[in-house]
Structure formats: C-alpha cells, structure tokens
Amino acid sequence: MSAYIELDFSQVQYLDSSALGMLVLMSKKNEQSVQAKLVIRGAQGNALDILEMANMAKLYAFL
C-alpha cells in the first residue's frame, strides 16, 4: 500500500500566488522524502480554474 497526502479543497474559493507556491514547495519536499501520492479533493469553481491554469495536474491528482 503506497502512502498518499490528501488536501481537502471543498471549501476553498480562491488561490493566490503564495498558495500556488506552497503547493509547489510541498510537492518538491514530498519528492525528496516521503514520495507519497499527492491528491487535491473537492476543488471547484475559481479554485479549480486556478489550479488548472497553473498546471498543477502534473504534481497533484484531482478528485
């Protein structure tokens, strides 16, 4: 069984550049240590649009 880290974005309405930067940093730290599958669950509306525009699907699975 592989490990995963799941972030619940169901209540997130907006993301700014600092939030995107933290998501990228988290992904890099994960690659260096835990190597868990990263999942963003429940993103919708503007938050999902921003994640898609930032190409976060390369780093995180969206559910």
Side-chain angles (χ1 to χ4, degrees):
M1 177 185 257
S2 62
Y4 70 95
I5 298 171
E6 182 177 308
L7 304 173
D8 180 2
F9 273 44
S10 61
Q11 299 297 313
V12 176
Q13 296 178 6
Y14 180 77
L15 297 169
D16 63 9
S17 60
S18 62
L20 293 174
M22 289 303 295
L23 290 171
V24 171
L25 179 63
M26 183 177 168
S27 174
K28 287 182 181 182
K29 294 286 186 181
N30 178 58
E31 286 177 7
Q32 295 170 355
S33 59
V34 181
Q35 297 180 350
K37 180 175 180 162
L38 300 174
V39 177
I40 293 177
R41 180 177 297 278
Q44 54 192 334
N46 289 335
L48 180 58
D49 292 343
I50 292 166
L51 290 168
E52 289 173 343
M53 285 188 283
N55 212 12
M56 288 292 162
K58 287 186 174 183
L59 305 175
Y60 293 84
F62 295 157
L63 301 178

